[in-house]
Amino acid sequence: MTTPRPALVVGNWKMNGLLKDGLDRANLLAGRLGRAGRVPFELVICPPATLLWPIAEAIRGSPLLLGAQDCHAEPAGAHTGDVSAAMLADAGCRFVIVGHSERRAAHREGDDRAKAKAESAIRHGLTVILCVGEGSAERERGETFARVERQIATCLPAAASAVNTVIAYEPVWAIGSGRTPRPAEIEEVHGRLRAFAGSRLRDAAAPRVLYGGSVRRDNARDILSLAGIDGVLVGGASLDADEFWAIAEASIRRGERAGGTA
Ligand code: PGA
């Protein structure tokens, strides 16, 4: 049996965290990761933009990875209030979340904008975490696959590959609600997404597919042990370093079960 890819455990802090609070959380995670030695997961934190530089400095040399929550599609220019992918790379980011449903809803960002952002992120050496997911009305109408496949078909730029792009399946109704799809549903959507996205990536390889939406300490092990789950995108629960660490540790058993090494 081949060793599975390390699980990708991503914390999206959203608009939360002042300097001391953010540095404490990042230092705690970096310290634990350093003491843990070799682990079968990659840990990424996505703080708000104001904390990227100080956190990058604080975790320099640590395996803890840094990501951002959004980027503009242009590298620079007259875009008041925005941050470009070039700036994020300059600040030490390795990842950027693109197309999150909160950006889509609150900033009216459509698939075309997500594609342009993903394109710019890849051009500047970042790994894109592309969020897709259906709303509750689409789910009730049985349109989940149609929705997420359309998002993938429209949002993936030509340069996207399984190396520079990760897909995060986040049902909009599950985000921050405490509700999650049934395990079989998550497995089915992930299987289809991986095959569909893989056929559209330039290397035609299977991308990593994360699950996001109300992941907590108490459901992480069940979710991470589902077939075809390559990791999780965690919002609220990533604001508590102990809980986020417990979620990451839940992936260790997944690695052991699949024949990997911890
Ligand atoms: P949640 O958010 O874990 O708080 O549901 C997930 C997300 O928005 O990425």
Side-chain angles (χ1 to χ4, degrees):
M1 182 179 280
T2 55
T3 303
R5 290 184 280 196
L8 188 60
V9 179
V10 184
N12 173 10
W13 294 4
K14 309 192 178 183
M15 197 173 71
N16 295 291
L18 301 180
L19 183 62
K20 180 177 180 323
D21 169 40
L23 277 177
D24 286 352
R25 195 180 304 138
N27 281 325
L28 210 141
L29 291 167
R32 285 203 185 153
L33 204 49
R35 287 192 296 280
R38 189 162 165 249
V39 288
F41 57 82
E42 290 178 312
L43 205 58
V44 183
I45 52 172
C46 301
T50 50
L51 298 187
L52 292 174
W53 273 102
I55 288 181
E57 283 297 313
I59 66 174
R60 191 180 299 280
S62 149
L64 181 60
L65 299 166
L66 193 61
Q69 300 172 17
D70 182 46
C71 68
H72 195 276
E74 298 295 328
H79 302 287
T80 303
D82 281 311
V83 176
S84 73
M87 292 168 176
L88 298 178
D90 193 37
C93 289
R94 299 267 304 277
F95 293 82
V96 61
I97 297 170
V98 167
H100 191 282
S101 63
E102 286 157 11
R103 301 284 322 169
R104 291 177 187 266
H107 299 266
R108 298 178 174 279
E109 292 184 3
D111 291 338
D112 290 346
R113 193 104 80 89
K115 179 181 184 179
K117 291 179 177 201
E119 203 155 30
S120 181
I122 291 168
R123 195 174 322 121
H124 290 94
L126 299 172
T127 297
V128 171
I129 301 172
L130 174 66
C131 298
V132 298
E134 82 288 359
S136 52
E138 289 160 324
R139 174 186 164 84
E140 274 154 30
R141 291 197 300 267
E143 293 170 4
T144 296
F145 295 123
R147 175 66 175 151
V148 296
E149 288 181 357
R150 193 165 64 245
Q151 286 176 320
I152 286 180
T154 321
C155 295
L156 283 181
S161 73
V163 176
N164 62 29
T165 304
V166 174
I167 309 290
Y169 170 55
E170 296 207 302
V172 179
W173 54 271
I175 294 176
S177 67
R179 294 188 296 138
T180 55
R182 286 191 299 276
E185 290 176 300
I186 298 179
E187 284 184 338
E188 192 182 6
V189 176
H190 274 236
R192 284 182 67 155
L193 276 188
R194 180 177 291 95
F196 185 77
S199 69
R200 277 155 197 273
L201 293 172
R202 57 183 292 205
D203 50 1
R208 287 199 274 188
V209 184
L210 315 183
Y211 169 78
S214 295
V215 177
R216 302 271 179 268
R217 185 202 302 258
D218 54 9
N219 63 13
R221 193 182 307 174
D222 288 345
I223 290 173
L224 281 159
S225 53
L226 295 174
I229 304 291
D230 298 302
V232 282
L233 178 53
V234 186
S238 71
L239 295 173
D240 177 330
D242 288 331
E243 177 152 15
F244 189 52
W245 183 256
I247 291 169
E249 281 194 316
S251 70
I252 293 178
R253 286 170 195 89
R254 160 190 183 271
E256 285 167 353
R257 200 171 16 254
T261 49

